[in-house]
Amino acid sequence: MTVRFRKRLIARESYEACAVFDVNKDGILDIVSGGFWYEGPDYTRKHKICDVMPVNEYFDDFSDYPLDVDGDGWPDIVTGGWWGKTLRWRKNPRAENRDWETFDIDQCGNIETIRFYDIDHCGVPEVFPNTPNDPTCCYKLIIDDQGRGLGQFRKIILNPRPSGHGLGFGDINGNGRTDIILSDGWLEQPQADPWGSVWTFHPEFSLGSASVPILAYDVNGNGLTDLIVGQAHDYGLFWLEQVRDNAGHHWIKHEIDMTGSQFHDLQLVDVDNDGEPELVTGKRYRAHNDGDPGAHDPIGIFYYKINQGQFGKHVIDFGAADQASGTGIYFWMQDLTGNGYPDLVAPGKDGLYLFENEGFRE
């Protein structure tokens, strides 16, 4: 049995990131992607956010994450892109019919995309731009004594080396603290204050142009954290089995799927409500404007039953570029229809699509 998805075109705009949240605080989830948001529950009413800088066939917008930056109770957007080299936030106009103001947080270098993780358990996620050519850093929202954002961020450099292409989070050594995973190793969170102590770098693997995120998950159920990684600009989807001995950590590479390329965004989501997460991913259509291996192959979105490393593949969408859809650089999964199953919002150069999860079929 597999899960049935109903595909809907939301917009032809070719932004590559999206998010789902209640933009106008009417109690109904909306879809956000690049320069526009689409009002729920039917997503046919389109609202402008602001102008976004176009560059060739891209837009300088590789994240649309909701975060109340200024503490006014309305969700703002944290964004950034490769060409602008700048981490930014856009202020929600609170239902007023005007463009969202954009504020620069920092010129941090080329941003491949951004991920968000509450690594210190403060209740507010920290902002982690993946800047391949610049140091690994994060941005911590400054909050007041009631936990409300003050519109400013504190920058913390975690490692001065170039980050490389790839980023993830997980407890690698099993000490209860979340570490940071990069394409060529992992940063161990210090026992003391994570923002005032040195993070130790462990160069234990080389993942190439890795997906963002690199997923940390115990694939084979032996109690050790393994890694799941896609090749963002080449063929291949893999998992790395963690092995420990007296010499330390070792990693054994296993293939999941070598038939596709440009697996840029990966998520672990319980697609079929069986209590176990599935691996959801797909091709980022024209990630380098036809410059990557496999660029002209068919595109698609898939989920994989993990099954202790057996990875059974199920197709959500697959076909020629003018018929099927990919995942963009930052897709989103959340129940928008209220049937208890997580739906999938897929942006990309092929348009913005909603895949409504309808549950099982034979």
Side-chain angles (χ1 to χ4, degrees):
M1 296 178 68
T2 190
V3 170
R4 180 192 303 272
F5 285 85
R6 185 170 75 92
K7 182 178 180 179
R8 287 180 52 195
L9 175 66
I10 301 299
R12 289 292 183 187
E13 278 77 25
S14 56
Y15 300 99
E16 295 190 70
C18 70
V20 171
F21 59 96
D22 185 1
V23 173
N24 55 356
K25 296 185 68 173
D26 65 353
I28 301 171
L29 291 173
D30 309 299
I31 295 175
V32 173
S33 185
F36 301 95
W37 66 277
Y38 305 86
E39 190 172 344
D42 58 9
Y43 312 107
T44 58
R45 188 177 179 189
K46 174 180 170 182
H47 303 265
K48 183 180 178 184
I49 295 175
C50 65
D51 294 324
V52 178
M53 180 176 71
V55 182
N56 298 323
E57 297 181 62
Y58 299 91
F59 286 94
D60 198 46
D61 182 272
F62 286 167
S63 164
D64 297 314
Y65 193 83
L67 183 66
D68 183 6
V69 174
D70 55 1
D72 65 356
W74 291 74
D76 308 302
I77 294 171
V78 179
T79 185
W82 183 264
W83 297 271
K85 301 183 179 181
T86 305
L87 186 66
R88 299 185 168 101
W89 71 279
R90 309 196 199 281
K91 179 177 173 58
N92 192 323
R94 298 186 290 186
E96 296 181 17
N97 187 22
R98 57 183 174 87
D99 284 5
W100 299 39
E101 294 180 85
T102 299
F103 301 89
D104 290 351
I105 299 170
D106 185 39
Q107 289 189 335
C108 56
N110 304 105
I111 299 174
E112 182 69 20
T113 182
I114 309 168
R115 287 302 180 269
F116 303 80
Y117 196 95
D118 184 8
I119 208 163
D120 62 0
H121 308 292
C122 69
V124 179
E126 283 74 50
V127 180
F128 292 84
N130 181 212
T131 50
N133 304 312
D134 290 273
T136 303
C137 63
C138 81
Y139 295 81
K140 188 170 178 60
L141 180 64
I142 299 173
I143 59 177
D144 62 18
D145 56 5
Q146 296 183 343
R148 294 177 300 197
L150 297 176
Q152 295 180 318
F153 291 82
R154 172 190 171 196
K155 180 179 182 178
I156 303 107
I157 295 178
L158 303 176
N159 190 291
R161 301 169 58 259
S163 298
H165 193 303
L167 175 68
F169 309 94
D171 182 4
I172 298 298
N173 54 7
N175 64 2
R177 294 187 293 273
T178 301
D179 307 304
I180 296 174
I181 307 158
L182 304 174
S183 62
D184 57 352
W186 59 282
L187 291 169
E188 181 180 354
Q189 183 176 159
Q191 185 173 358
D193 175 17
W195 312 128
S197 304
V198 175
W199 290 60
T200 303
F201 179 65
H202 299 272
E204 295 179 356
F205 42 73
S206 180
L207 305 179
S209 291
S211 54
V212 185
I214 302 162
L215 297 175
Y217 183 72
D218 182 6
V219 171
N220 55 8
N222 67 351
L224 301 179
T225 299
D226 307 305
L227 304 179
I228 304 174
V229 58
Q231 290 301 292
H233 298 288
D234 204 340
Y235 281 98
L237 183 63
F238 308 92
W239 72 281
L240 274 70
E241 178 184 0
Q242 182 181 165
V243 178
R244 293 186 191 174
D245 57 27
N246 293 333
H249 302 85
H250 304 281
W251 304 87
I252 302 173
K253 186 176 181 179
H254 303 270
E255 294 182 358
I256 298 173
D257 190 347
M258 295 299 295
T259 65
S261 73
Q262 299 161 89
F263 293 103
H264 211 293
D265 187 7
L266 283 63
Q267 296 189 30
L268 289 172
V269 181
D270 187 0
V271 171
D272 54 12
N273 287 351
D274 68 348
E276 299 288 338
E278 282 74 50
L279 169 63
V280 185
T281 187
K283 185 175 185 176
R284 179 188 171 197
Y285 176 51
R286 305 187 67 240
H288 276 163
N289 288 354
D290 301 330
D292 287 330
H296 299 286
D297 293 349
I299 61 176
I301 305 173
F302 319 100
Y303 74 90
Y304 300 78
K305 300 290 292 183
I306 296 175
N307 192 25
Q308 295 193 329
Q310 298 305 307
F311 286 94
K313 183 177 182 178
H314 298 259
V315 174
I316 296 174
D317 197 25
F318 182 74
D322 60 348
Q323 299 172 9
S325 180
T327 57
I329 203 168
Y330 201 142
F331 68 94
W332 199 275
M333 292 201 71
Q334 191 166 343
D335 182 9
L336 279 74
T337 61
N339 68 351
Y341 286 90
D343 307 303
L344 189 154
V345 182
K349 292 188 179 75
D350 50 339
L352 178 66
Y353 290 88
L354 169 61
F355 290 84
E356 297 179 358
N357 188 338
E358 298 180 328
F360 282 110
R361 67 180 180 186
E362 293 296 335

